[in-house]
Amino acid sequence: MKIAIITQSYYPVKGGVAEHVHALSGELEKRGHEVVIITGNFTGFDDNFGRNVIRIGRDLTILANGAFCNVTISLQFKKLLEKIEKKEKFDVVHIHQPIDPVLPLLATKYLKAPKVGTFHTYQKKNFWLEMLKEPAEPYFKRLKALIAVSSSARQFISQYYKADYHIIPNGIDTKRFSPEVKPMEQYKNDKDFKILFLGRMDPRKGFKYLLRAFPLIYQKITNVKIIVVGGGIMKHWYKMALPSELSPRVDYHGFVPNDQVPRFYAACDLYCSPATRGESFGIVLLEAMASGKPVVASNIHGYNSIVKDGQTGFLVEKKNPLALAESIIKLAKNKEMRNNMEKFAREEALKYDWKKVTDRIERVYKEVLS
């Protein structure tokens, strides 16, 4: 089967959608399928990590749903997409966020092969969909099969387009993220209790609430530090917001190579995601759980379907530094509880192994072709 996968996320190094596309394409190739990823051009980036990638248009970064998002734009999309399809002769086209402007929506319109759409987003309302619900409906109807990564994602898109959606979650490479992975060398013999935050420093990711919780944590546990992997324009503001005496206890690493990401999970004692909204799934939670780490996360849509409160970690009220601090302190002081959660977290993550997830997506492709 020859499959086109289309995404305008910053492929392959940023965000859950990009991770999804990268892992899915790799698993499909292992099964003998030929996969072509169609995405945007990103300044200063030309590493495709072994995938067959066609880059078109140019990238524009905008703020949407509390995060900085990529939009791929071009005046030549119709011509470019038709030329690619004529050459490649796809059997199936899999479009991620197929109603999003500009590349996904126009791919939904112009590509002729049978199309599958996956919806990743959760939010209460969306201005774009409110305005263009009816004009975009003919494009939506061109999708032969619909996937939502969670019940939250299905709930959101169903406000605008009622249809039958397959709920197929994001997957996780349970060999890449594993308790067997060795930690980053600098933390190998570090005796501090280490809290990991990994992700873009977008407003909705809530990193500031972890920083506000940190002085409360430090009052009870002095041998504690935060490891931060990720970046963004908010980083410098966040660094200034922390009391100066605690600054040495926060290690900022920025964006790191993909092969180092599992080693940061391996280095921490727990993973914290204080996101405030807009998370349809939470793949970082699965990465942490697969690495055998307990999770402290906000009790929001998308997260509360992954974390089993009290078993794989704790769910706390969003935007509540005190609740964050209390849960982190509880885990830091109770090694037996952490050990039990680590074991159960790993067992839960195995249910989301990419092999199992790809089985289900592959079945959707075959249904579409039949």
Side-chain angles (χ1 to χ4, degrees):
M1 196 184 305
K2 190 161 189 178
I3 304 159
I5 299 182
I6 296 174
T7 177
Q8 65 183 1
S9 292
Y10 198 103
Y11 178 81
V13 296
K14 276 189 190 176
V17 178
E19 286 279 351
H20 181 114
V21 168
H22 188 69
L24 174 61
S25 59
E27 186 61 34
L28 288 168
E29 287 175 350
K30 289 177 186 176
R31 299 172 184 222
H33 301 296
E34 186 177 351
V35 181
V36 177
I37 298 169
I38 301 173
T39 189
N41 283 296
F42 303 105
T43 304
F45 185 79
D46 59 1
D47 189 345
N48 297 327
F49 291 92
R51 301 289 188 266
N52 183 3
V53 179
I54 298 175
R55 298 186 182 274
I56 58 178
R58 59 184 291 264
D59 174 63
L60 179 68
T61 301
I62 63 171
L63 181 63
N65 192 25
F68 292 97
C69 305
N70 301 95
V71 176
T72 303
I73 59 174
S74 173
L75 297 176
Q76 303 292 320
F77 272 146
K78 182 177 187 295
K79 179 180 178 181
L80 291 168
L81 289 167
E82 289 176 345
K83 182 179 179 181
I84 291 169
E85 185 167 42
K86 183 178 180 180
K87 178 184 176 184
E88 301 290 343
K89 297 180 174 58
F90 301 118
D91 296 304
V92 174
V93 174
H94 189 167
I95 306 173
H96 291 264
Q97 293 295 107
I99 307 299
D100 280 7
V102 175
L103 172 59
L105 184 63
L106 294 184
T108 304
K109 178 180 180 180
Y110 292 124
L111 294 178
K112 295 177 181 178
K115 290 178 281 291
V116 176
T118 290
F119 295 87
H120 295 262
T121 301
Y122 172 79
Q123 56 191 118
K124 289 185 178 179
K125 294 290 181 182
N126 179 280
F127 176 77
W128 165 256
L129 290 175
E130 293 280 353
M131 294 293 293
L132 294 179
K133 177 183 175 181
E134 291 185 13
E137 190 163 2
Y139 306 150
F140 178 83
K141 288 181 177 178
R142 296 181 186 210
L143 299 167
K144 299 300 182 185
L146 307 167
I147 298 171
V149 298
S150 65
S151 57
S152 298
R154 179 180 62 181
Q155 176 185 332
F156 166 66
I157 193 61
S158 293
Q159 297 177 81
Y160 305 100
Y161 302 107
K162 294 189 182 303
D164 291 328
Y165 294 85
H166 300 270
I167 296 184
I168 303 177
N170 286 309
I172 185 75
D173 184 338
T174 56
K175 290 184 178 178
R176 181 178 175 225
F177 297 96
S178 162
E180 305 303 317
V181 173
K182 294 181 180 179
M184 294 298 293
E185 198 64 33
Q186 71 191 87
Y187 297 113
K188 191 173 181 181
N189 298 311
D190 189 334
K191 302 302 181 183
D192 285 335
F193 185 82
K194 294 174 286 298
I195 304 161
L196 175 65
F197 173 90
L198 186 148
R200 299 188 309 273
M201 289 194 187
D202 295 334
R204 78 173 197 211
K205 298 298 182 181
F207 179 60
K208 68 179 180 182
Y209 297 105
L210 177 56
L211 288 184
R212 290 176 183 175
F214 196 42
L216 303 174
I217 297 167
Y218 188 70
Q219 287 176 11
K220 302 292 184 180
I221 312 164
T222 54
N223 63 325
V224 62
K225 70 173 49 168
I226 299 175
I227 302 171
V228 184
V229 177
I233 64 172
M234 302 293 292
K235 175 180 176 180
H236 299 292
W237 185 90
Y238 288 142
K239 290 179 79 169
M240 291 188 295
L242 189 69
S244 58
E245 63 270 22
L246 291 180
S247 294
R249 294 203 156 270
V250 182
D251 295 348
Y252 292 92
H253 292 274
F255 292 109
V256 302
N258 278 6
D259 62 344
Q260 290 184 10
V261 171
R263 299 187 67 193
F264 278 98
Y265 284 110
C268 76
D269 294 289
L270 69 80
Y271 179 77
C272 181
S273 180
T276 60
R277 60 185 175 90
E279 302 293 336
S280 64
F281 189 80
I283 198 165
V284 289
L285 306 182
L286 273 187
E287 291 174 351
M289 289 162 57
S291 302
K293 304 298 177 179
V295 169
V296 176
S298 302
N299 189 1
I300 58 174
H301 284 285
Y303 279 9
N304 52 24
S305 63
I306 301 296
V307 179
K308 294 191 180 300
D309 191 29
Q311 295 179 296
T312 62
F314 290 119
L315 291 168
V316 303
E317 183 183 24
K318 68 180 182 179
K319 301 183 181 181
N320 189 332
L322 177 59
L324 272 179
E326 287 176 345
S327 291
I328 290 170
I329 291 166
K330 186 184 295 186
L331 279 170
K333 289 188 171 184
N334 193 329
K335 185 170 177 55
E336 183 180 356
M337 179 186 289
R338 287 205 314 275
N339 290 342
N340 290 335
M341 286 186 173
E342 287 168 1
K343 181 181 178 182
F344 193 60
R346 174 67 181 175
E347 290 173 356
E348 279 295 299
L350 290 173
K351 298 176 183 178
Y352 296 85
D353 187 90
W354 263 114
K355 291 180 181 178
K356 296 177 181 178
V357 173
T358 305
D359 285 343
R360 297 172 65 183
I361 294 175
E362 194 177 34
R363 283 198 293 270
V364 173
Y365 293 163
K366 291 176 180 177
E367 287 174 12
V368 165
L369 288 176
S370 67

